[in-house]
């Protein structure tokens, strides 16, 4: 944390409420990483009538910049000296930058979304885009599409009139773009063969995690890429469906991060490095998981490294590793292959469920659980896994599984001829269940077990004994 002295610059956030904001985590981490003498704090402005006084007061106090959150993104506009033209067209300002005599307003949400997509390697203008929603986030997404040079856009919204109004506003600034507004009920009829979908509604936001704005299979078949602006939870039902139909999707944490970084760069005039951005992303991610769960639960396909990564995690954190398969062997006095032979897969799964039930009852803390590859298949088990801890999916491709498992003869489900086909079929069948179970997905195909363990610790904020000790 920055040492506060006579030269410390102050930035902050105005909104109502502000208690649950992640912005201080972003800005104070970036300030620490860049060595800037800057501190960021939230200011709770309790009423709309106080906005002019808040902005004037901030200027008088030499505050360098402010973020603005709900419900003041429109109300702040008349209090500004200047407004960026795109922010004016969007009709919402979320960042104030100090200039001579007052503040200039910007909207960094649309820039944050663009950077989040580009950070994933998406070349936005090459795609036909579908925006779902017509509120604040959808407005930012629509103007982002215009700026990025998208040629064809469909806006889907529950209230179609709002989608039409947004389409008209975007069209004024980007007349060459082909824009269609449709009600959500016509999601299956979008006129594209493939698209990039940007989910901007509140459907699926915690605690309504079993909602999705679209259910049409025809729609998901066309979703090649998808961005869900929601970041709590990271795995929404919408994203799960995208993956189920073979698409690739990302949650809104990158947008949150980059809208903050854009603001920081406007305030300081300095570009934030990739490393500093990565550090802030990890802090954000650990904030999202912190306090929620006291244990880590590793799930993933056979060969994804649950045991080796689990051991690396145990070494790095000083926490015990509990291997569920080993426990079943211990309790039953039989090898896994024997259980499959004598009791069938059903018998093994019943033992797994009973063990998870028992582990939840024990209410232990600071444990790393490594689970069997098929444990996620039953909804009951997924519920127990979530209760047990932060569920981390070690994601892996069929090719890597085949490479890693070679001719392993201890995996009952892979015995017999045509193992490659078996891996592919089984992985496809389980993929949706893995993503449903996971709080966090980690690419387990890259890096050493220690590197993957480091990444899990950074992103979950799981400290464990050794690390807790170090922090004292
Ligand atoms: P907003 O202005 O209140 O707009 C809400 C939108 O969601 C409207 O289009 C509304 O449709 C739609 N909607 C709400 N409930 C729905 C449901 N059950 N089914 C279908 N549509 C539904 O909200 P916003 O500020 O745009 O935020 C939208 C989402 O984006 C939120 O989840 C927010 O957390 C997220 N967000 C993320 C970031 C980020 O940095 N990652 C930034 C901003 C927002 P109607 O018009 O029909 O009511």
């Amino acid at each position: 944390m920055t040492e506060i002295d006579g030269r410390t610059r102050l930035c902050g956030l105005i909104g109502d409420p502000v208690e649950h904001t992640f912005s201080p985590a972003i800005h104070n981490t970036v300030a620490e990483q860049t060595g800037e003498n800057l501190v960021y704090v939230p200011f709770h402005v309790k009423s709309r009538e106080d906005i002019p006084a808040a902005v004037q007061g901030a200027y008088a106090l030499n505050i360098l910049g402010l973020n603005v959150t709900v419900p003041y993104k429109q109300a702040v506009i008349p209090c500004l000296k200047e407004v960026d033209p795109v922010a004016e067209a969007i009709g919402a300002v979320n960042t104030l930058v100090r200039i001579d005599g007052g503040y200039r307003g910007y909207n960094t949400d649309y820039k944050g979304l663009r950077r989040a997509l580009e950070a994933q390697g998406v070349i936005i203008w090459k795609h036909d885009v579908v925006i779902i929603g017509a509120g604040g986030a959808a407005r930012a997404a629509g103007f982002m599409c215009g700026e990025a040079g998208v040629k064809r856009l469909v806006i889907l919204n529950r209230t179609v009139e709002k989608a039409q109004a947004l389409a008209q506003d975007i069209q004024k600034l980007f007349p060459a773009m082909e824009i269609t507004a449709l009600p959500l009920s016509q999601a299956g009829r979008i006129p594209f063969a493939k698209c990039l979908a940007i989910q901007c509604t509140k459907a699926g936001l915690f605690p309504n995690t079993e909602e999705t704005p679209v259910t049409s299979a025809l729609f998901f078949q066309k979703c090649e890429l998808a961005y869900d602006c929601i970041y709590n939870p990271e795995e929404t039902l919408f994203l799960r469906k995208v993956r189920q139909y073979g698409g690739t999707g990302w949650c809104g944490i990158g947008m949150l991060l980059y809208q903050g970084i854009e603001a920081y760069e406007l305030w300081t005039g300095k570009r934030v490095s990739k490393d500093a951005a990565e550090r802030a992303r990890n802090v954000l991610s650990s904030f999202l998981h912190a306090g929620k769960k006291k244990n880590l639960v590793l799930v993933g396909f056979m060969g994804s490294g649950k045991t080796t990564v689990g051991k690396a995690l145990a070494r790095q954190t000083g926490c015990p590793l509990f291997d569920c398969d080993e426990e079943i062997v211990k309790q039953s006095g039989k090898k896994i292959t024997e259980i499959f032979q004598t009791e069938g897969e059903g018998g093994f799964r019943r033992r797994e469920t009973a063990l998870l039930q028992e582990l939840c009852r024990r209410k232990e803390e600071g444990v790393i659980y490594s689970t069997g590859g098929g444990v996620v298949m039953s909804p009951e088990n997924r519920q127990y896994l979530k209760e047990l801890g932060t569920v981390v999916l070690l994601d892996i491709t069929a090719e890597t599984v085949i490479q890693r498992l070679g001719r392993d003869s201890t995996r009952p489900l892979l015995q017999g001829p045509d193992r490659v086909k078996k891996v592919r079929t089984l992985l496809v069948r389980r993929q949706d269940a893995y993503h449903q179970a996971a709080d966090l997905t980690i690419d387990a195909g890259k890096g050493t077990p220690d590197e993957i363990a480091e990444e899990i610790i950074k992103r979950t904020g799981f400290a464990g004994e050794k690390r807790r000790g170090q922090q004292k």
Side-chain angles (χ1 to χ4, degrees):
M1 187 74 181
T2 307
E3 281 283 337
I4 295 174
D5 60 21
R7 291 191 175 80
T8 303
R9 296 307 306 267
L10 187 61
C11 290
L13 169 77
I14 55 174
D16 177 30
V18 290
E19 285 81 0
H20 303 294
T21 175
F22 292 107
S23 293
I26 300 174
H27 294 289
N28 291 321
T29 304
V30 174
E32 190 183 275
Q33 295 292 305
T34 55
E36 200 77 27
N37 190 351
L38 184 153
V39 168
Y40 184 101
V41 288
F43 297 107
H44 187 183
V45 178
K46 291 182 184 162
S47 122
R48 189 172 294 259
E49 286 72 54
D50 291 334
I51 289 292
V55 174
Q56 271 176 26
Y59 188 77
L61 291 171
N62 199 26
I63 287 179
L64 184 60
L66 289 171
N67 281 138
V68 185
T69 188
V70 280
Y72 303 136
K73 288 186 185 185
Q74 286 91 31
V76 78
I77 295 175
C79 311
L80 303 176
K81 186 107 197 291
E82 291 174 10
V83 181
D84 172 71
V86 181
E88 196 161 18
I90 293 175
V93 157
N94 76 331
T95 299
L96 311 190
V97 178
R98 188 181 181 84
I99 56 170
D100 251 0
Y103 289 96
R104 180 175 164 88
Y106 292 85
N107 185 305
T108 64
D109 276 340
Y110 82 95
K111 292 194 172 184
L113 176 59
R114 183 170 181 170
R115 276 174 80 166
L117 283 165
E118 287 172 352
Q120 299 297 345
V122 179
I123 304 168
I124 301 161
W125 65 266
K126 284 194 172 175
H127 295 271
D128 288 329
V129 178
V130 176
I131 291 175
I132 309 164
R139 293 190 77 80
F143 283 85
M144 183 281 291
C145 288
E147 266 230 337
V150 168
K151 293 180 191 66
R152 298 201 301 165
L153 173 69
V154 166
I155 305 171
L156 295 170
N157 196 43
R158 193 172 56 177
T159 315
V160 71
E161 294 76 18
K162 278 211 227 160
Q164 286 160 346
L166 174 56
Q168 276 173 15
D169 289 351
I170 300 170
Q171 197 80 80
K172 275 184 220 149
L173 213 63
F174 303 101
M177 208 161 144
E178 196 182 295
I179 314 176
T180 315
L182 292 173
L184 257 187
S185 53
Q186 293 199 20
R189 300 212 183 146
I190 50 164
F192 305 143
K194 290 269 172 258
C195 71
L196 159 65
I198 308 178
Q199 198 301 103
C200 303
T201 76
K202 289 179 170 165
L205 184 64
F206 183 84
N208 303 314
T209 52
E210 285 314 305
E211 281 184 11
T212 166
V214 186
T215 49
S216 157
L218 277 175
F219 172 82
F220 286 109
Q221 280 160 9
K222 295 174 175 182
C223 261
E224 190 177 21
L225 299 177
Y227 195 87
D228 195 329
C229 292
I230 292 176
Y231 49 84
N232 185 17
E234 288 185 40
E235 297 273 338
T236 56
L237 179 55
F238 177 80
L239 284 182
R240 294 204 303 265
K241 287 208 166 279
V242 167
R243 292 192 183 109
Q244 190 186 330
Y245 285 88
T248 304
W250 303 277
C251 79
I253 200 163
M255 178 179 176
L256 175 69
L257 170 71
Y258 284 111
Q259 61 77 29
I261 285 180
E262 278 285 336
Y264 188 92
E265 290 176 347
L266 284 169
W267 295 330
T268 60
K270 290 182 186 160
R271 186 89 180 159
V272 173
S273 71
K274 223 174 143 198
D275 282 354
E278 187 58 24
R279 171 85 191 111
R281 191 193 199 286
N282 288 332
V283 170
L284 256 185
S285 196
S286 69
F287 260 76
L288 279 168
H289 297 288
K292 263 206 248 172
K293 307 284 171 66
K294 304 278 189 295
N295 301 311
L296 279 185
V297 184
L298 303 179
V299 298
F301 201 71
M302 55 187 105
S304 61
K306 297 182 294 289
T307 309
T308 42
V309 172
K311 283 181 184 161
L313 277 164
R315 257 194 325 272
Q316 292 186 26
T317 61
C319 288
L321 172 66
F322 185 99
D323 188 313
C324 293
D325 278 357
E326 270 178 21
E327 183 65 17
I328 292 173
V329 170
K330 206 165 98 188
Q331 286 184 4
S332 64
K334 294 184 198 170
K335 284 185 187 160
I336 306 268
T337 39
E338 268 177 75
I339 303 176
F340 267 76
Q341 274 161 13
T342 55
E343 302 171 24
E345 187 179 348
F348 179 76
R349 299 284 168 229
R350 278 190 289 281
R351 285 182 182 275
E352 252 180 346
T353 305
L355 175 62
L356 288 180
Q357 232 171 353
E358 184 195 323
L359 294 175
C360 287
R361 263 199 305 270
R362 285 189 201 166
K363 292 197 187 308
E364 284 178 324
E365 289 186 8
V367 181
I368 300 150
Y369 294 99
S370 155
T371 61
V375 70
V376 293
M377 293 310 284
S378 102
E380 192 185 2
N381 285 2
R382 293 198 292 271
Q383 205 57 41
Y384 286 131
L385 293 170
K386 290 223 186 255
E387 198 179 321
L388 207 52
T390 301
V391 183
V392 180
L393 167 62
L394 299 180
D395 206 15
I396 194 169
T397 60
E399 289 65 34
T400 314
V401 175
I402 293 155
Q403 219 175 26
R404 284 187 186 172
L405 292 185
R407 305 214 59 79
D408 189 333
S409 60
T410 62
R411 317 276 178 167
L413 293 176
L414 288 193
Q415 298 317 300
D418 225 349
R419 289 156 66 102
V420 173
K421 197 171 161 205
K422 274 188 182 160
V423 168
R424 288 220 169 88
T425 313
L426 206 54
L427 193 54
V428 167
R429 199 183 306 149
R430 288 182 180 174
Q431 204 63 334
D432 194 39
Y434 282 132
H435 286 285
Q436 278 186 40
D439 292 308
L440 180 69
T441 303
I442 298 276
D443 183 352
K446 287 189 214 135
T448 63
D450 271 314
E451 285 163 352
I452 296 169
E454 270 290 329
E455 168 97 5
I456 293 171
I457 291 165
K458 276 193 225 153
R459 295 195 46 194
T460 58
F462 182 78
E465 293 313 314
K466 266 192 199 165
R467 282 168 189 259
R468 256 184 241 136
Q470 279 168 8
Q471 281 169 18
K472 274 176 197 160

